[in-house]
Amino acid sequence: MAVSPHAFPPRKRMPSAGSFMSPNFSDHRLIQSLFLLSQEISSLKPLRHLLRRNSASIIRKAKLLSVLFEELLREQLNCFSPSAVLCFEELYIVLQRIKTLIEDCSDGSKVWLLMQSESLANAFHELNVDLSTLLDIFPASDMNLNEDVEELVVLIRKQCSEKKPVLDPEDDNMRSEVMKMLDRIKEEIVPDHSKLSEIFDRLELGDSTSCRDEIENLEDEVPNETDEKSKSDVIALIGLVRYARCVLYEASTPRATGRRRRSVSDVNFPADFRCPISLDLMRDPVVVATGQTYDRASINLWIQSGHNTCPKTGQTLAHTHLIPNRALKNLIGMWCREQRIPLEATEPNVKVNSVIHNKTALEATKMTVLFLVNKLTASQSTEMSNRVIHELRVLAKADSDSRACITEAGALTLLVKFLGPDHPNLQVNTVTTILNLSILESNKTRIMETDGVLNGVIEVLRSGATWEAKGNAAATIFSLAGVHANRKKLGGKTRVIKGLVELARVGPASCKRDALVAILSLAGDRDTVGKLVESGVVEMISELMDGQPEEAVTILEVVVKRGGLLAVAAAYHLIGKLAAVLREGTDRARESAAATLVIICRKGGSEAVAELATIMGIERVIWEMVGTGTGMGRGRRKAASLLRILRRWAAGLDGEVMGGHSSTTNESSTRIVLPG
């Protein structure tokens, strides 16, 4: 056997013996606690698939001990010798460890349990030895127990006298077979399907749903492992189970509801926890040189796309160092725990999606992808195509290796023909698969260049059969726009612009967010801003100002900043709504509103300033903001600029409304005629 018996390190999930403490109880309360704890263990079911003999044996011993403790309670002995109390306290710790070990083995992955069967058999044996030692020193003769109970103590002591760990030969053989299978996969040899089926049947992983649960359990196991070798081993097993699920059982459609987790998208999160770029919850907030906070993934993508400015302020970044905002991250973590939703870890050694080099997992992924692509090519039914594409969708969400393998196998060309609206569920699965594939940077170019893919996604955006399909198409546009060259190309397509604006206007909340994020990304290109204005983006923003003011003013700021006089003229009628945001909005929304009003007033001239000045109490609102500005003073500075503009206009200094400085550009020195 190429893999040594100790290739898989001992399981680290169960707490060490030192993690358990004996209770500081009175003698009677201690016996009562021992009785209840032994009864809890007695009520547990032995493990069904692996280590059955070990678990059943130790549960029987707990049942016998419960009889002993029940007798002590019945005799109402309230005072024991110091040696007896010490023995009881140690018994309590051992019983805690027994309960934890059985529960730990019952709840986790079956395949991982199989790989750990040797070390877990040793753990059961160690607990038996500890019980035997404690029963050897147990002062039964000092307690005036009846003969039956004394004989019971002797019986338990004998049952604990096993000389070595007990490992079921069938368990050990099955473990060896799995290790051989992993070795063969690493050597690019396809596993024997009959042996694979036999192993999975014995583990009661006999259908697609149970395999899906097993994959989720293995993914949960990754962060429990403390070293890269253990993580890598678990990931190899995930690859094996994914392969087995596809080749042994029919692909399944998605569940109606999730198994455990509540999604962040299911709740409304605080505005201050939202990344200004993605408008989504920040998992790893970092501070850039200008003092603004962004999610690390979003700002990294911005910088890697060739930008050297702060997306929110437009200032040139003095450096590109990212400083973790630990205080905000802790607040977000607390909020997520209160809401009972997962905050995905971002450290590279914690996420399942991390790039952990593992040849076995990679080859298993290649085999899985090749099987699915061949099945999709040969599929003659819509139902089967939908099932296969759903499997590709799930796989594309898993990790970068899977995304790369799927595109390299030519799946993009096959997916194009399933983007039509005739079968809504199939369309959703297809466009979502493309979205998941686009997460990988190298795939963005492939998606843009593969015939029919981009046009198909745009068509789904414009006329998709469901809101989910349209929203995921918008999210795909945003993902593809992460590459600068793609952004210009996408921004030049009128169908893309109109589709996003329309979706942001009439779509449900989740779709609006996808569309707004994509619009914000495309607005980074000046030529695209003109198309956005022509397509009615300002009117759309006006409609969103009441319900989603923060998103609306964030986009409006970019539009009026980059869109020139046409954008300013279009935004003129929003001055009143921007003033309302200054008065009642969140800190971030007020900051963007102030910045937008400064741009409108400087480019729009005295007419725009006069419109702002007519709003009752506006100067007081701005003055208050000068004293309470946010974000390293940006909000305060913008409010101060706005206040200066208003006061110069009131003093009749029209020539200085433009910001108190001359400009060589035609745009900044030209007045425009705004609607009255």
Side-chain angles (χ1 to χ4, degrees):
M1 183 171 66
V3 179
S4 72
H6 303 290
F8 286 83
R11 198 167 200 215
K12 301 289 182 66
R13 191 174 184 178
M14 191 185 72
S16 64
S19 301
F20 299 101
M21 300 293 291
S22 60
N24 186 20
F25 290 155
S26 64
D27 291 357
H28 177 77
R29 182 77 183 280
L30 178 58
I31 300 301
Q32 191 175 44
S33 298
L34 283 166
F35 173 64
L36 293 175
L37 183 56
S38 59
Q39 279 201 320
E40 286 180 22
I41 297 171
S42 303
S43 66
L44 297 176
K45 294 182 179 179
L47 302 177
R48 293 181 57 184
H49 317 290
L50 305 162
L51 301 164
R52 181 177 179 83
R53 179 177 170 184
N54 293 272
S55 58
S57 173
I58 209 158
I59 288 173
R60 282 197 303 272
K61 295 180 180 73
K63 287 181 180 178
L64 295 175
L65 284 171
S66 70
V67 176
L68 168 63
F69 300 136
E70 185 178 24
E71 180 65 23
L72 292 173
L73 287 173
R74 186 180 294 112
E75 293 294 330
Q76 296 186 345
L77 299 175
N78 294 320
C79 185
F80 299 100
S81 65
S83 61
V85 172
L86 179 61
C87 186
F88 288 142
E89 289 176 345
E90 292 299 318
L91 273 171
Y92 186 89
I93 292 174
V94 173
L95 289 174
Q96 278 186 311
R97 292 166 57 199
I98 290 172
K99 180 173 179 281
T100 302
L101 177 60
I102 295 173
E103 289 177 341
D104 184 43
C105 293
S106 300
D107 294 339
S109 157
K110 296 173 184 176
V111 178
W112 187 236
L113 187 67
L114 174 64
M115 295 299 99
Q116 302 300 312
S117 56
E118 184 176 349
S119 63
L120 290 171
N122 287 329
F124 278 107
H125 178 66
E126 289 172 5
L127 290 170
N128 270 308
V129 171
D130 290 344
L131 278 178
S132 178
T133 302
L134 290 172
L135 291 171
D136 282 340
I137 63 174
F138 182 69
S141 58
D142 299 341
M143 298 183 185
N144 297 319
L145 300 174
N146 62 51
E147 291 183 2
D148 290 342
V149 177
E150 286 189 358
E151 289 177 2
L152 180 64
V153 174
V154 173
L155 174 63
I156 302 172
R157 187 184 297 129
K158 286 181 179 179
Q159 289 187 355
C160 293
S161 61
E162 295 172 345
K163 300 298 183 183
K164 60 181 181 179
V166 176
L167 184 61
D168 190 318
E170 290 188 0
D171 292 354
D172 196 37
N173 291 336
M174 185 160 51
R175 177 171 171 265
S176 298
E177 283 297 326
V178 172
M179 287 181 166
K180 290 177 183 177
M181 204 168 283
L182 293 173
D183 271 348
R184 293 192 180 106
I185 290 174
K186 189 174 183 179
E187 299 299 322
E188 303 180 28
I189 301 172
V190 176
D192 185 317
H193 289 186
S194 61
K195 287 186 178 179
L196 192 62
S197 177
E198 181 184 346
I199 291 170
F200 274 60
D201 284 343
R202 285 186 57 194
L203 293 175
E204 292 193 7
L205 299 174
D207 54 46
S208 182
T209 300
S210 61
C211 286
R212 178 168 49 198
D213 290 340
E214 179 68 10
I215 291 169
E216 290 179 354
N217 284 328
L218 284 167
E219 289 173 343
D220 288 345
E221 194 70 48
V222 175
N224 292 325
E225 302 306 315
T226 57
D227 60 89
E228 292 304 306
K229 173 65 169 61
S230 300
K231 294 179 191 295
S232 182
D233 290 338
V234 179
I235 290 171
L237 292 173
I238 291 173
L240 175 65
V241 178
R242 280 182 183 148
Y243 176 76
R245 178 173 178 244
C246 288
V247 302
L248 297 181
Y249 314 116
E250 287 293 325
S252 66
T253 52
R255 296 186 179 124
T257 58
R259 181 171 67 101
R260 289 179 296 237
R261 296 179 171 86
R262 185 185 180 196
S263 171
V264 172
S265 62
D266 294 336
V267 295
N268 292 320
F269 47 87
D272 289 341
F273 294 172
R274 186 178 296 167
C275 175
I277 298 175
S278 68
L279 302 181
D280 205 351
L281 184 71
M282 288 187 278
R283 266 74 171 180
D284 189 11
V286 293
V287 181
V288 298
T290 59
Q292 296 294 319
T293 297
Y294 301 94
D295 192 44
R296 185 185 293 275
S298 297
I299 192 63
N300 270 333
L301 186 60
W302 174 266
I303 293 171
Q304 290 166 9
S305 298
H307 297 94
N308 65 345
T309 57
C310 173
K312 191 161 187 185
T313 67
Q315 294 174 269
T316 300
L317 296 173
H319 57 77
T320 57
H321 300 304
L322 304 178
I323 303 170
N325 191 335
R326 300 192 186 281
L328 180 58
K329 186 172 184 178
N330 289 337
L331 287 173
I332 294 172
M334 290 170 58
W335 177 81
C336 285
R337 286 191 292 275
E338 290 172 0
Q339 297 294 325
R340 299 176 181 269
I341 59 175
L343 178 66
E344 295 177 5
T346 53
E347 290 78 3
N349 291 338
V350 176
K351 285 187 71 174
V352 178
N353 290 358
S354 301
V355 180
I356 298 177
H357 182 68
N358 187 296
K359 181 72 160 55
T360 305
L362 178 60
E363 293 305 325
T365 298
K366 288 180 179 178
M367 292 176 186
T368 304
V369 169
L370 185 60
F371 175 84
L372 290 172
V373 169
N374 288 340
K375 196 166 186 176
L376 184 60
T377 303
S379 174
Q380 299 295 318
S381 73
T382 300
E383 181 182 357
M384 180 52 65
S385 298
N386 188 36
R387 290 175 179 272
V388 173
I389 291 175
H390 173 252
E391 292 299 330
L392 288 172
R393 168 183 174 173
V394 173
L395 195 58
K397 190 178 180 181
D399 51 55
S400 297
D401 285 341
S402 298
R403 297 178 195 115
C405 290
I406 291 171
T407 53
E408 287 168 4
L412 283 173
T413 303
L414 297 174
L415 291 172
V416 173
K417 64 181 180 179
F418 299 107
L419 285 170
D422 294 339
H423 303 283
N425 195 35
L426 178 57
Q427 185 184 60
V428 168
N429 280 326
T430 304
V431 74
T432 309
T433 302
I434 296 171
L435 168 60
N436 292 342
L437 292 174
S438 73
I439 296 171
L440 184 65
E441 199 70 14
S442 60
N443 279 349
K444 298 183 194 299
T445 301
R446 289 183 175 181
I447 291 170
M448 295 288 290
E449 293 178 350
T450 301
D451 287 344
V453 177
L454 179 58
N455 285 334
V457 171
I458 295 172
E459 193 57 36
V460 174
L461 173 66
R462 295 296 306 276
S463 57
T466 63
W467 289 120
E468 183 181 2
K470 290 183 177 183
N472 286 345
T476 305
I477 297 297
F478 168 69
S479 179
L480 296 174
V483 175
H484 181 69
N486 292 351
R487 187 183 303 121
K488 291 188 72 69
K489 185 174 181 179
L490 290 166
K493 292 182 178 291
T494 303
R495 290 191 303 150
V496 171
I497 301 300
K498 288 186 175 180
L500 292 173
V501 171
E502 183 66 15
L503 183 61
R505 173 179 286 141
V506 301
S510 59
C511 293
K512 284 182 187 291
R513 183 171 297 150
D514 289 325
L516 291 172
V517 169
I519 289 170
L520 187 60
S521 178
L522 295 179
D525 181 71
R526 287 187 181 275
D527 294 336
T528 301
V529 174
K531 287 183 174 293
L532 284 167
V533 174
E534 292 172 2
S535 298
V537 72
V538 177
E539 290 76 8
M540 176 271 292
I541 290 171
S542 177
E543 294 173 12
L544 294 181
M545 287 286 278
D546 295 329
Q548 295 174 276
E550 186 161 332
E551 293 94 332
V553 294
T554 299
I555 295 174
L556 185 62
E557 180 186 353
V558 176
V559 169
V560 298
K561 184 177 181 180
R562 297 178 178 273
L565 303 179
L566 181 65
V568 173
Y572 177 82
H573 69 286
L574 294 180
I575 290 175
K577 289 191 174 184
L578 289 168
V581 173
L582 283 184
R583 183 178 288 110
E584 301 173 355
T586 64
D587 287 343
R588 289 183 182 274
R590 295 172 72 202
E591 185 178 306
S592 289
T596 305
L597 284 169
V598 168
I599 298 169
I600 292 174
C601 288
R602 284 178 174 170
K603 293 183 179 180
S606 58
E607 292 88 350
V609 184
E611 179 71 17
L612 180 62
T614 59
I615 298 173
M616 185 175 295
I618 189 62
E619 190 166 331
R620 179 179 178 82
V621 171
I622 297 171
W623 177 254
E624 290 176 352
M625 190 173 173
V626 170
T628 59
T630 60
M632 296 294 289
R634 178 179 183 252
R636 187 184 303 113
R637 290 195 305 272
K638 293 300 180 183
S641 296
L642 201 55
L643 195 60
R644 284 196 300 272
I645 290 172
L646 283 172
R647 290 181 173 177
R648 284 170 178 161
W649 172 84
L653 301 175
D654 288 356
E656 297 183 35
V657 167
M658 311 301 289
H661 57 81
S662 61
S663 174
T664 58
T665 64
N666 290 332
E667 180 180 274
S668 63
S669 60
T670 303
R671 300 294 183 86
I672 61 173
V673 178
L674 296 168

